Amino acid sequence: MTSTPQDLLVPSTFPVDPATCQPIAPNQYLKVNTIFNVAHDHGMLTAWSDKHPVYTSFNGPSGNGITDSFDPEIDSNALQPNGQPWPGPTIAWTGDNAATMQYDSYKVQAVINWIDDGSIMAGVNSAWAATHPGAPPLVAAGTDDDAIMWWLSDTSPQATRFVQNYLWIHSATGNTATGASRTLPHSGLRKLYVGAASARYFGVPVSEPRHPDVWGIVQVGVVYTGGKGKIAEHGGANPADRGVPIVVYAPGLRPQVSDQWVETTQIAPTIMQLLGLNPGDLQAVQAEGTPVLPGISGQPH
């Protein structure tokens, strides 16, 4: 079994179209589109899990029906969770009930991952598709652990206002650290920066493509996750994310404690100095004047 089951499809074994002399892929057997094609054309995300890679035929004749396909070959050699073959003669996943249950658990987890991934994100895309049939998913890419950071396929004022309004007027329901249910306003956010406001937050022009089109700072304690076990994250903009202690160790430094307010951006020039290099060689230091961490004025002995 491979992490990319489609690799098991060998074009040289496919039937050949006599008109073009090209292999006929599984999805090309169909002459009409599938429900996946229709959903995809309306900007929705689609997913399918099955037991053979050949089921990518659901992609339909256009080949764009399934956004994410998980089709581990059930007739491949079964492996235990530790990666070792099952004891005894080589068997496929259907050759032993325990192996079949293990195989099914992979597919169940795939479905859970689909459900967990970007539930808020899916809601935005679905709402956009309802009024913009045929448009691609509005949220093209993004991450949302203890912040919302999205890039949009449409950055027009109309699209960015749509996202801003959706996130701010919708509530989010999740679990507390003890497992109880809790509903939060504003999709769990306390601040939201969209479009030009996001660019200003990161200190770059709107034309700079690296800044996210949507940047949301969560309410303290919020972590976007589908599971119940994840109660903390890092990387956001709340005090617990950014107000962290820094421990520096290098030969020749004397033990000391500083209560000065510092930034993690000071770590890079500090490393340069401790290595006997010029912190000013860092272009970010040149642009922002970032100082070395306090108490580290010289090189290690």
Side-chain angles (χ1 to χ4, degrees):
M1 187 163 66
T2 171
S3 59
T4 53
Q6 286 70 35
D7 291 345
L8 300 178
L9 298 175
V10 182
S12 62
T13 65
F14 294 174
V16 174
D17 186 331
T20 64
C21 295
Q22 296 299 313
I24 303 174
N27 63 290
Q28 293 173 328
Y29 275 79
L30 303 179
K31 295 293 186 179
V32 295
N33 62 356
T34 67
I35 58 172
F36 299 98
N37 296 127
V38 175
H40 187 274
D41 290 343
H42 281 77
M44 298 180 182
L45 298 177
T46 58
W48 184 256
S49 179
D50 222 306
K51 60 183 180 180
H52 302 299
V54 74
Y55 283 109
T56 52
S57 57
F58 292 143
N59 258 323
S62 62
N64 71 346
I66 305 177
T67 305
D68 193 355
S69 179
F70 183 67
D71 308 296
E73 177 54 64
I74 198 169
D75 290 329
S76 60
N77 295 338
L79 299 175
Q80 299 179 79
N82 61 8
Q84 298 299 312
W86 281 76
T90 301
I91 61 169
W93 295 97
T94 54
D96 183 281
N97 283 341
T100 304
M101 292 173 64
Q102 180 185 329
Y103 171 90
D104 288 342
S105 71
Y106 296 146
K107 293 166 71 175
V108 169
Q109 187 59 51
V111 174
I112 292 174
N113 290 344
W114 286 327
I115 294 172
D116 288 348
D117 268 354
S119 53
I120 295 177
M121 190 183 300
V124 169
N125 283 334
S126 179
W128 179 255
T131 55
H132 297 78
L138 182 54
V139 183
T143 182
D144 48 2
D145 283 325
D146 62 347
I148 279 183
M149 185 164 57
W150 292 350
W151 284 263
L152 306 180
S153 61
D154 183 343
T155 58
S156 66
Q158 177 194 20
T160 53
R161 283 196 301 270
F162 177 89
V163 173
Q164 184 169 14
N165 291 337
Y166 183 98
L167 291 175
W168 205 247
I169 68 174
H170 282 78
S171 60
T173 302
N175 302 306
T176 66
T178 59
S181 178
R182 183 181 176 188
T183 300
L184 298 168
H186 311 311
S187 300
L189 298 169
R190 66 179 180 88
K191 287 188 178 180
L192 184 60
Y193 303 86
V194 178
S198 177
R200 287 194 298 270
Y201 181 94
F202 289 98
V204 298
V206 177
S207 59
E208 168 57 66
R210 292 174 179 81
H211 79 83
D213 300 307
V214 180
W215 170 249
I217 300 175
V218 299
Q219 299 169 33
V220 175
V222 170
V223 178
Y224 294 113
T225 174
K228 296 183 178 180
K230 190 175 184 180
I231 62 173
E233 249 295 347
H234 63 91
N238 281 317
D241 295 305
R242 307 189 69 172
V244 295
I246 297 178
V247 178
V248 178
Y249 170 81
L253 290 182
R254 61 182 179 83
Q256 59 180 307
V257 176
S258 173
D259 60 0
Q260 295 185 43
W261 187 268
V262 297
E263 298 280 348
T264 53
T265 54
Q266 295 175 247
I267 294 175
T270 302
I271 291 174
M272 294 284 286
Q273 180 158 304
L274 289 174
L275 291 175
L277 304 175
N278 181 9
D281 287 344
L282 293 172
Q283 293 177 331
V285 170
Q286 296 175 26
E288 301 178 353
T290 312
V292 173
L293 288 169
I296 306 176
S297 57
Q299 301 175 17
H301 304 299

